Amino acid sequence: MLKIALSAAKFAAVGLLGMAIDFFFTWLCKEKLKINKFIANAIGFSIAVVNNYILNRIWTFSSKNPQVFEQFLYFLGISSIGLALNSTFLYLFHQKLRLNFYFSKLIAIGIVFIWNFSANLLFTFNNGK
């Protein structure tokens, strides 16, 4: 149980860095490049996914799996489901509940964290278990 808690804390730390990367690129695309806010959201999220995979593989889960590309595809698939959930929650909170766009994005990220950690622990970085 302690090992899972430590992994969750590391995953959260990587996620916080990923969130900063996500927010920066979302802001850059939406505010400065004037890209549609939902496309900007997908761009920020995607850049963060690559960063998060590398850091989680090396630091959080210390993966030695030689199938790096296959493992990344699992991570990308789980992250894509996370993106769909993130966008859905973002739409609901921002468009339907009229909450601030960035506050809505923060709430969505928090909810999707649970999905991302659980699915990656069980499927991406399970070390053949």
Side-chain angles (χ1 to χ4, degrees), residues 21-23 25-27 29-30 35-49 82-91 101-102 104-106 108-109:
I21 290 168
D22 185 345
F23 267 70
F25 282 100
T26 299
W27 170 82
C29 292
K30 179 181 177 287
I35 295 173
N36 173 279
K37 59 189 162 191
F38 295 105
I39 294 172
N41 183 56
I43 291 168
F45 189 87
S46 297
I47 293 169
V49 163
L83 174 60
L85 292 169
N86 182 289
S87 294
T88 299
F89 288 124
L90 180 61
Y91 173 79
F101 176 80
Y102 293 106
S104 298
K105 186 171 176 61
L106 183 64
I109 288 169

Side-chain angles (χ1 to χ4, degrees), residues 88-106:
T88 299
F89 288 124
L90 180 61
Y91 173 79
L92 290 173
F93 295 137
H94 178 61
Q95 295 294 116
K96 296 299 181 183
L97 297 179
R98 301 273 189 221
L99 297 177
N100 174 274
F101 176 80
Y102 293 106
F103 182 66
S104 298
K105 186 171 176 61
L106 183 64

Side-chain angles (χ1 to χ4, degrees), residues 18 28 45 61 66 75 79 82 88 107:
L28 179 69
F45 189 87
F61 297 105
F75 192 86
S79 297
T88 299
I107 295 169

Side-chain angles (χ1 to χ4, degrees), residues 117-126 129:
F117 177 72
S118 300
N120 279 298
L121 179 66
L122 294 171
F123 299 112
T124 307
F125 300 106
N126 68 0
K129 296 175 186 168

